[in-house]
Amino acid sequence: MSASTPVRPTLPVDILARKGGAPLVCLTAYTTPVARLSDPHCDVVLVGDSLGMVLHGLPSTIGVTMEMMILHGKAVMRGITNAMPVIDMPFGSYEEGPEQAFRNASRLMMETGMPAVKLEGGVHMHDTIAFLTARGVPVMAHIGLTPQSVNTLGGYKVVGRADEGARVMADAEAVQAAGAFSVVLEKTPEGLSRRITQTLTIPTIGIGAGVGCDGQILVIDDMLGLFTDFRPKFVKRYANLGEAASDAIADYAAEVRARAFPGPEHSFPDE
Ligand code: KIV
């Protein structure tokens, strides 16, 4: 690259072009420091509505608002120079119809600077995704287990076993036909995920969907061991930062109680 070549961030077309190539590395981030840590290693950084559970202590993603997404979206944008950022549309911000979806997707993009949105749903979201993509909103779709529907699904179960597989395949084909540039497959059985990946011309990004997808995504707080309320089977912990933080806080508390902190190395002498 010559000194005059401008550095351009990763865009949805670049992610689309990765179909069938080197696996896409994707993680969530919600803050500037974590976005900065992830950015050099990731192709996609998602401001997921999982932030409601892992940062704000909500029982599900249902209570997440546009304002929460915008606040964290802006923070993440300050930490990204390499990866492609994507922001989740929260529950209630797009399901009414294409116009409502465009109003809120454009607000998310304009107020945060994010180049793409993610929304949950397959066949029933076809017209909404088509409306958005025709109007300059790149869409990452999310099918299989769609956590915003936890109350109708009846829990965070595997989606797509046996006869249900045909419905998930239909969802995948519908979001592709509508113009989505990629699709998240959550908690779909390994064989089905592989068949969907082989059938589609857009990249599939798996979470609990086996190794056969075009990429993988995890919630960063899960893989760093920061969120410990529960651990889905598909989460691998690459670090135990929650435990390390808890030990550090306990050490600090013990030293304060013993008047061992601050010692001379952290105090200012009079002269
Ligand atoms: O909200 C989120 O973090 C997500 C990913 C887990 C795919 O949707």
Side-chain angles (χ1 to χ4, degrees), residues 33-57:
V34 172
R36 283 199 182 119
L37 288 173
S38 303
D39 185 55
H41 305 284
C42 287
D43 300 299
V44 172
V45 170
L46 169 72
V47 184
D49 62 355
S50 49
L51 64 83
M53 298 172 77
V54 303
L55 291 193
H56 293 272

Side-chain angles (χ1 to χ4, degrees), residues 28 30 46 48-50 88 118 120 142 184 186 207 217 219:
T28 67
Y30 319 108
L46 169 72
D49 62 355
S50 49
D88 257 340
K118 177 166 82 59
E120 297 181 7
H142 183 156
V184 170
E186 180 160 353
I207 175 162
I217 189 162
V219 169

Side-chain angles (χ1 to χ4, degrees), residues 44-49 51 66 68-74 77 84-90 104-105 107-109 112-119 138 140:
V44 172
V45 170
L46 169 72
V47 184
D49 62 355
L51 64 83
M66 285 286 289
M68 288 161 81
M69 295 309 299
I70 288 168
L71 187 71
H72 289 285
K74 283 179 175 168
M77 283 304 278
M84 193 194 68
V86 182
I87 188 162
D88 257 340
M89 299 198 71
N104 285 316
R107 182 174 168 214
L108 287 173
M109 290 171 73
T112 64
M114 292 270 164
V117 302
K118 177 166 82 59
L119 58 80
M140 176 182 280

